[in-house]
Each structure stands twice: as structure tokens, then as C-alpha cells.
Amino acid sequence: MRIRAVLTDLDGTLLEPDTTVHRDVPEVLARLADLGIPVCPVTSKTTAELDLVFRDLSFTGPAGFENGAGVRLAGGSVSLGPAAVPMDGLRRVLVTLRQRTGVPIQSFKDLSDRRLAAITGLSQDGVAAARQRVPPRGLVMAAAEH
């Protein structure tokens, strides 16, 4: 049986907890590239975060992002799935949960960059990239637009 592609998570798989590339990854990716086997990350990261990873690992695509909200295609264009929930809808759910439970749930939007970096271990560039969510569903964007 021929392996046609490798689908992988990023955090804790190809990336260390501090988001640096694990030391063995470049060699493994080079070997897969030599065999003509594409590596396709599937992650909770945003497309902006993927751009940083793609730069560091010389990926070209495709990749799944934001827990299946969409796909970043080769060349950087982005296609959102029909079931992707817009951020304003998710925020309304969060407000409802706060009201019904009394639990002080906080989102990225509620946290300062400094606090978010402290909680996640992300750099300032990483925090900025994590805050860049996809636009409303159904949109297909060219690489230069996001």
C-alpha cells in the first residue's frame, strides 16, 4: 500500500509547547518530500498562525484550520466549510453561557495580549496571529486577502 499523504496535528506533534519546531521534524519532512508524500496539518490554529508554521517548515498546503472550519489550499487561498460558525455567533453563545451559569468564562477577546501570552505561552507574534479568525462562512479568500 502506498502512502498518499500524512495528516498531522501541529501542537505537541510537529511543534513543541513553545511553538518551536521539534528537532526531528525537518529531517522527517525532508524524507517525506523526497518520497513525494505531502504533509497536511490539521489544527485548531488560525490561518495567520498556519502562515507562520508554513514559513518555518516550508509547507505549501493544504491544511485544515480552526478545528475544521476550513482548508488552506496550496498557494495560500482559504476555503471555509459550510458548517463554519461565524465569530459573532460563537460570542453570543459565550454570553448566554455566562448568563445561564454565572461562570466567568473568558474568550481571547476578553484577555489582554499580555495575559493571553502568559496563559498560552505564545509570543507576541503568535498572539496576534491567534487573534486573526476567519471571516463569515462561505467566503473563499485569495492568499493576499487574508
Side-chain angles (χ1 to χ4, degrees):
M1 177 171 80
R2 179 175 161 8
I3 296 173
R4 297 187 189 270
V6 173
L7 281 69
T8 182
D9 191 9
L10 292 172
D11 297 321
T13 305
L14 302 184
L15 303 178
E16 297 288 357
D18 66 358
T19 71
T20 58
V21 176
H22 184 277
R23 62 182 160 75
D24 297 332
V25 168
E27 181 182 342
V28 171
L29 294 178
R31 176 80 172 120
L32 289 168
D34 289 346
L35 294 170
I37 300 171
V39 176
C40 308
V42 182
T43 182
S44 63
K45 292 186 178 304
T46 65
T47 57
E49 289 174 291
L50 273 176
D51 288 344
L52 298 174
V53 173
F54 273 48
R55 181 196 65 212
D56 291 346
L57 295 176
S58 301
F59 280 135
T60 56
F65 62 86
E66 292 189 36
N67 293 320
V71 176
R72 181 188 189 277
L73 304 171
S77 64
V78 173
S79 177
L80 294 179
V85 179
M87 285 304 297
D88 59 340
L90 294 174
R91 286 190 184 102
R92 284 193 302 272
V93 170
L94 181 64
V95 168
T96 300
L97 286 172
R98 282 183 193 149
Q99 291 169 345
R100 289 185 182 173
T101 66
V103 176
I105 303 167
Q106 292 184 305
S107 70
F108 271 31
K109 188 175 181 178
D110 300 322
L111 301 170
S112 68
D113 286 355
R114 184 176 181 174
R115 181 72 178 131
L116 188 55
I119 291 169
T120 63
L122 292 171
S123 67
Q124 287 303 316
D125 286 344
V127 166
R131 288 189 185 279
Q132 294 181 36
R133 310 312 294 186
V134 294
R137 76 175 142 219
L139 182 67
V140 177
M141 301 182 304
E145 294 179 59
H146 71 79

